[in-house]
Amino acid sequence: MIHRREISLMIVIAALAFVLAAVAPGYFARENLSDLFLGNMPVLIVAIGTTLVILRGNIDLSVGPVFAICGIVAGITAKASGSVAVAAAAACLAGAALGALNGSLVAYLRMPSIVVTLATMVALRDGLRWWTEGAWVQDLPAGFQWFGLAQSSYPVVACAVVVILQSGVAWTLRNVAVGRAVYATGSNETAARLTGLDTARVKCGVFIVAGVLTGLAALLNSVRFNQIPSNAGLGLEMKVIAAAVVGGAAIRGGEGSLSGTLLGVVLLGAIGPALTFLGVSAYWERALQGAIILAAVAVDAVRERRAFQAVVAASSPA
C-alpha cells in the first residue's frame, strides 16, 4: 500500500531528477550513481533498523558509535582470523550485543529510550576513542577489501543485499505476527499488552535487530577501504532518523513504512551532490535538509490535528 507521504516524495524526487537531467545530465553518469549508492547504502541499512525502533515508539541516538565499533571489530577480527565470514559474524554480534544493552535498559528497567541511547552514544564514542587511541585499523587481509571481488562487481553484490533486506523486512512487517506486533505495541502499548503481547520483548527485540543491521552496514562500508577509521558514523544517527521521519514514520510510534524510509534516504542523500552539479554552494545542503524535515513534521502535525477534529466532530451530539 502506497501512502500519501510516499507519493509526495516520489513526486519531489522525480522533479529533482527532471531538473538534473535537463541542467546537469552528468549527474546520472554510471560512476556518480555508483558512488551515490555506496555512500548512502550504510545509511539505508541502518535506517531500516531505526525505522523499526521508531515504529515501536522509541528512538536510538547511539547508532553512530555502534557503527564505528562494529567496523573496528570487523577489521580486528579479519586481521586475526583471515576470514571475512568470521569478521561479518563478529560485526553483527557486536551490534546485537550493544542493541541488547540499549533494549534491556529501555524495556526492562523502563528508562526513556532518548536518555538511554544519548548516554550510550557518549559513553561508546568516548570508550572507542580510549580503546583505539584514535588509531585506524590497518594492514587488513587482501580478501577483506571488496570481499575479494573486483571493485566493479562489489556494488552489484551490495545492491542485492540491500534489496533482500529491504524487501524481506518490509514483508515481515506486513505479513508476519512479529512484524505486526511492532506496529501494535507502537500504536498502543497498553492495548497490545492486554491482548497478550510481550511488549517488553518486542521493545528489546527491535533494538537488537537494529544493532545487527548497524553491524552489517558497518561491515559493508568497511570493505570499501583499505583502512577502517575509528571515528566512523559521526552524524549517522541524525541522517537515519531524518530519513525515517521524512519518509512518514511518526516519532510517537505505530505509523510508518520502510518504503517511505527508502525514499527519505534517496531524497536527503541526493541533495548534496545535486547542489554540486547545479553549481549551488554545498553550504545549502543542511539548510535544505532541515527545511524538508520541518515540512514533513508540519504536514504530520496538520494531519493529526484534522484527524482529531474529525473525531471530536463525529462524537459531538447533533
Side-chain angles (χ1 to χ4, degrees), residues 307-318:
F308 176 76
Q309 292 173 345
V311 171
V312 171
S315 60
S316 298

Side-chain angles (χ1 to χ4, degrees), residues 83-121:
S83 170
V84 177
V86 174
C92 291
L93 285 173
L98 295 172
L101 172 62
N102 284 332
S104 297
L105 293 174
V106 173
Y108 299 110
L109 295 185
R110 299 187 178 182
M111 298 172 65
S113 59
I114 191 171
V115 175
V116 169
T117 57
L118 179 61
T120 53
M121 177 183 71

Side-chain angles (χ1 to χ4, degrees), residues 58 82 87 96 104 212 224 257:
N58 297 115
S104 297
V212 172
R224 296 172 55 204
S257 69

Side-chain angles (χ1 to χ4, degrees), residues 10 122 210:
M10 289 179 186
V122 175

Side-chain angles (χ1 to χ4, degrees), residues 51-302:
T51 302
L52 297 179
V53 173
I54 292 176
L55 288 176
R56 174 53 193 81
N58 297 115
I59 202 76
D60 188 355
L61 299 175
S62 66
V63 294
V66 171
F67 181 87
I69 289 172
C70 291
I72 293 293
V73 168
I76 292 175
T77 307
K79 289 179 63 175
S81 66
S83 170
V84 177
V86 174
C92 291
L93 285 173
L98 295 172
L101 172 62
N102 284 332
S104 297
L105 293 174
V106 173
Y108 299 110
L109 295 185
R110 299 187 178 182
M111 298 172 65
S113 59
I114 191 171
V115 175
V116 169
T117 57
L118 179 61
T120 53
M121 177 183 71
V122 175
L124 292 175
R125 182 66 73 181
D126 287 346
L128 180 61
R129 190 178 295 115
W130 170 82
W131 176 34
T132 63
E133 297 181 346
W136 293 18
V137 179
Q138 303 179 13
D139 302 321
L140 294 165
F144 184 78
Q145 189 171 21
W146 308 113
F147 290 138
L149 302 171
Q151 184 173 348
S152 58
S153 302
Y154 174 74
V156 178
V157 174
C159 184
V161 172
V162 169
V163 170
I164 292 171
L165 279 177
Q166 177 80 16
S167 57
V169 177
W171 183 88
T172 301
L173 282 174
R174 292 192 306 268
N175 300 287
V176 181
V178 67
R180 294 194 295 270
V182 174
Y183 278 105
T185 55
S187 298
N188 191 322
E189 183 173 356
T190 301
R193 187 184 301 112
L194 291 175
T195 62
L197 288 174
D198 188 339
T199 56
R201 180 178 295 181
V202 175
K203 189 182 296 185
C204 187
V206 293
F207 277 98
I208 294 174
V209 172
V212 172
L213 291 173
T214 302
L216 177 61
L219 172 74
L220 292 173
N221 186 67
S222 297
V223 299
R224 296 172 55 204
F225 311 103
N226 56 13
Q227 301 180 69
I228 301 176
S230 57
N231 61 346
L234 292 172
L236 179 60
E237 54 280 341
M238 292 299 102
K239 291 180 180 179
V240 297
I241 292 172
V245 171
V246 169
I251 293 296
R252 68 181 182 279
E255 184 178 347
S257 69
L258 291 185
S259 55
T261 297
L262 170 62
L263 292 171
V265 172
V266 171
L267 177 59
L268 295 177
I271 291 175
L275 291 177
T276 301
F277 274 85
L278 293 173
V280 180
S281 173
Y283 289 109
W284 283 99
E285 178 181 0
R286 290 183 179 274
L288 288 174
Q289 289 177 341
I292 291 170
I293 295 168
L294 284 175
V297 174
V299 168
D300 286 342
V302 171

